[in-house]
C-alpha cells in the first residue's frame, strides 16, 4: 500500500467515505452512491463535495457506459409476506389465490411469474454461489455480470423457485442521476484507454466540461534514442518440442542481460515446461525469473 508514503506527509488515507479525518479515500461506485444519499438527506452534499477531487480509473465505465439514472428501492414490509405466499401458491400443481393475499398483490405475482417464464439461464441470468449459498444474478444486455448489480421483479421469482430465497416486495424510494452526482465534485481526473470516439468525447465535453489529454507512451518520454525500430526476426521451425524448448532457452540466455525477455506459452503445461527448463539451465539468476499466468487457480 501507499500508507508509508502518506504517513511521511501526515496524510490519512482510508476506505470509509464517512471518515472525516481522511484526506484520501479509496472507494467503489456503490460507496459513492451511499455517501451521496446520506449527505443529500442531511443537506450537506455541496459542502462535502465542492472541495473534493475524484480520481477514477476506467472512467468511461463510470460516466459513459452505465445508465445515466439509477433507481433505488427499499423493502415493503407489508407486501413482502403476501408476495412470498403468492409465489409459493403459483409454484404448486394447482395454483389458487390464498385467502390472506390481496387481489392486487396476487395479480402482481401472476405478472411476475409470466414475465419470468421468458427468461433463460445463461442469457438473462446466472446462478452463482455467494458465501456457500446459491443465488441468481441478472446479466446485462451483453450477457455479462454488471459491476453494479441489476434487479427486476422476475429475478425475485427465479431466486425463490431455483434458490429458495424468500422474495422481498420493493418500493421505489430514490433515483440517482450520474451526471448530477459527479458534477457536484470540484473536479474529476479520469483515466482510460478506450474513450476516444467523437460521440463519446462530445458527450463528456457537453455533460462534464471534460478536456482530453493524451498521455504519451513511456518510451516517448525518455531522453536519447529510447524508442527502437521494431525488427521482425522471422519464424523458426524445429523437429519437435524438445528442440524448440532448447532454442527458447538459448535465445533467453543470449538476450536477458541486454533486454527484458518475455516468453509466451500456449497453455499451462507448456508454461511449466519452459519455467523448469529456464531454472534448471543454470544460466539465469533465480530471482530474475518471473512466472505470470492466467491459468493459475484463484
Amino acid at each position: 500500500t501507499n500508507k508509508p508514503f502518506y504517513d511521511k506527509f501526515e496524510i490519512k488515507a482510508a476506505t470509509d467515505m464517512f471518515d472525516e479525518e481522511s484526506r484520501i479515500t479509496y472507494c467503489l461506485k456503490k460507496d459513492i452512491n451511499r455517501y451521496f444519499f446520506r449527505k443529500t438527506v442531511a443537506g450537506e452534499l455541496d459542502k462535502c463535495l465542492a472541495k473534493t477531487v475524484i480520481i477514477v480509473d476506467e472512467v468511461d465505465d463510470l460516466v459513459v457506459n452505465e445508465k445515466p439514472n439509477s433507481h433505488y428501492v427499499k423493502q415493503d414490509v407489508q407486501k413482502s409476506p403476501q408476495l412470498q405466499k403468492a409465489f409459493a401458491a403459483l409454484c404448486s400443481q394447482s395454483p389458487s389465490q390464498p385467502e390472506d393475499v390481496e387481489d392486487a398483490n396476487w395479480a402482481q405475482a401472476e405478472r411476475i411469474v409470466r414475465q419470468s417464464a421468458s427468461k433463460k439461464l445463461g442469457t438473462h441470468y446466472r446462478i452463482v454461489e455467494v458465501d456457500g449459498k446459491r443465488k441468481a444474478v441478472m446479466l446485462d444486455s451483453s450477457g455479462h455480470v454488471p459491476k453494479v448489480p441489476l434487479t427486476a421483479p422476475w429475478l425475485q421469482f427465479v431466486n425463490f423457485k431455483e434458490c429458495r430465497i424468500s422474495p422481498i416486495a420493493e418500493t421505489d424510494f430514490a433515483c440517482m442521476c450520474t451526471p448530477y452526482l459527479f458534477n457536484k465534485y470540484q473536479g474529476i481526473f479520469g483515466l482510460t484507454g478506450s474513450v476516444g470516439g467523437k460521440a463519446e468525447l462530445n458527450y463528456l465535453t457537453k455533460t462534464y466540461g471534460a478536456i482530453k489529454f493524451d498521455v504519451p507512451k513511456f518510451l516517448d518520454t525518455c531522453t536519447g534514442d529510447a524508442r527502437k525500430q521494431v525488427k521482425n526476426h522471422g519464424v523458426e521451425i524445429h523437429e519437435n518440442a524438445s528442440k524448440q524448448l532448447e532454442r527458447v532457452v538459448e535465445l533467453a540466455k543470449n538476450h536477458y542481460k541486454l533486454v527484458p525477455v518475455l516468453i509466451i506459452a500456449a497453455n499451462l503445461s507448456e508454461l511449466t515446461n519452459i519455467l523448469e527448463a529456464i531454472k534448471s539451465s543454470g544460466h539465469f539468476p533465480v530471482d530474475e525469473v518471473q512466472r505470470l499466468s492466467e491459468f493459475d487457480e484463484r
Side-chain angles (χ1 to χ4, degrees):
T1 65
N2 294 319
K3 187 177 185 304
F5 175 77
Y6 296 144
D7 289 344
K8 290 182 180 180
F9 296 92
E10 298 182 352
I11 296 175
K12 181 179 180 181
T15 56
D16 182 5
M17 294 193 67
F18 296 94
D19 187 341
E20 300 294 340
E21 297 180 358
S22 174
R23 295 180 60 189
I24 299 176
T25 304
Y26 294 87
C27 60
L28 300 175
K29 184 182 180 183
K30 62 180 181 180
D31 303 313
I32 294 176
N33 291 353
R34 187 182 302 113
Y35 185 85
F36 172 83
F37 285 133
R38 292 189 183 180
K39 292 301 180 181
T40 298
V41 172
E44 301 174 350
L45 186 65
D46 291 331
K47 173 186 174 182
C48 295
L49 299 188
K51 295 183 179 181
T52 302
V53 174
I54 182 172
I55 302 174
V56 185
D57 189 20
E58 299 299 341
V59 68
D60 52 311
D61 283 346
L62 190 66
V63 302
V64 176
N65 297 343
E66 294 200 9
K67 296 179 180 179
N69 295 317
S70 298
H71 297 272
Y72 289 83
V73 297
K74 63 179 180 180
Q75 180 178 357
D76 189 318
V77 295
Q78 295 181 334
K79 291 184 178 180
S80 293
Q82 294 192 34
L83 183 62
Q84 182 174 350
K85 291 180 180 180
F87 279 177
L90 290 167
C91 286
S92 63
Q93 295 293 333
S94 53
S96 60
Q97 181 179 348
E99 294 182 359
D100 53 351
V101 175
E102 297 177 4
D103 292 343
N105 295 331
W106 176 254
Q108 179 186 17
E110 288 184 314
R111 287 195 300 269
I112 292 173
V113 172
R114 286 196 297 270
Q115 186 181 20
S116 70
S118 64
K119 307 304 177 183
K120 298 180 180 178
L121 178 65
T123 301
H124 301 98
Y125 68 94
R126 184 182 302 170
I127 303 296
V128 300
E129 189 169 304
V130 180
D131 297 329
K133 297 180 180 179
R134 297 173 72 249
K135 179 182 179 181
V137 295
M138 186 174 172
L139 304 179
D140 59 21
S141 58
S142 301
H144 301 135
V145 177
K147 293 181 179 179
V148 178
L150 300 175
T151 185
W154 62 263
L155 185 65
Q156 291 221 45
F157 181 73
V158 172
N159 268 308
F160 177 79
K161 183 178 180 181
E162 299 193 19
C163 305
R164 312 313 301 171
I165 298 176
S166 298
I168 298 175
E170 298 172 333
T171 300
D172 293 335
F173 80 96
C175 176
M176 206 271 296
C177 175
T178 298
Y180 176 80
L181 164 59
F182 288 105
N183 275 313
K184 285 291 183 180
Y185 286 92
Q186 185 181 43
I188 302 176
F189 186 84
L191 305 170
T192 182
S194 54
V195 169
K198 186 176 180 180
E200 288 179 324
L201 292 174
N202 287 340
Y203 171 79
L204 291 173
T205 301
K206 179 180 178 181
T207 307
Y208 297 98
I211 300 174
K212 175 188 174 185
F213 291 93
D214 290 324
V215 179
K217 296 180 179 179
F218 171 72
L219 290 178
D220 291 337
T221 67
C222 299
T223 58
D225 187 19
R227 181 171 292 281
K228 306 296 182 181
Q229 187 68 30
V230 177
K231 181 180 179 181
N232 185 346
H233 294 278
V235 177
E236 297 185 16
I237 300 177
H238 297 272
E239 297 178 4
N240 50 50
S242 298
K243 293 290 185 181
Q244 183 187 44
L245 185 57
E246 290 178 7
R247 179 57 175 159
V248 168
V249 174
E250 180 185 0
L251 288 171
K253 181 187 70 173
N254 294 340
H255 294 89
Y256 85 95
K257 291 184 179 180
L258 304 174
V259 295
V261 175
L262 174 65
I263 303 174
I264 301 175
N267 51 57
L268 182 59
S269 175
E270 187 174 271
L271 173 63
T272 303
N273 292 337
I274 293 173
L275 185 64
E276 291 177 354
I278 291 288
K279 289 185 174 181
S280 62
S281 68
H283 299 303
F284 309 91
V286 177
D287 58 349
E288 292 189 16
V289 179
Q290 298 184 33
R291 163 183 166 150
L292 303 174
S293 171
E294 66 175 338
F295 305 109
D296 294 335
E297 294 183 1
R298 300 177 179 176

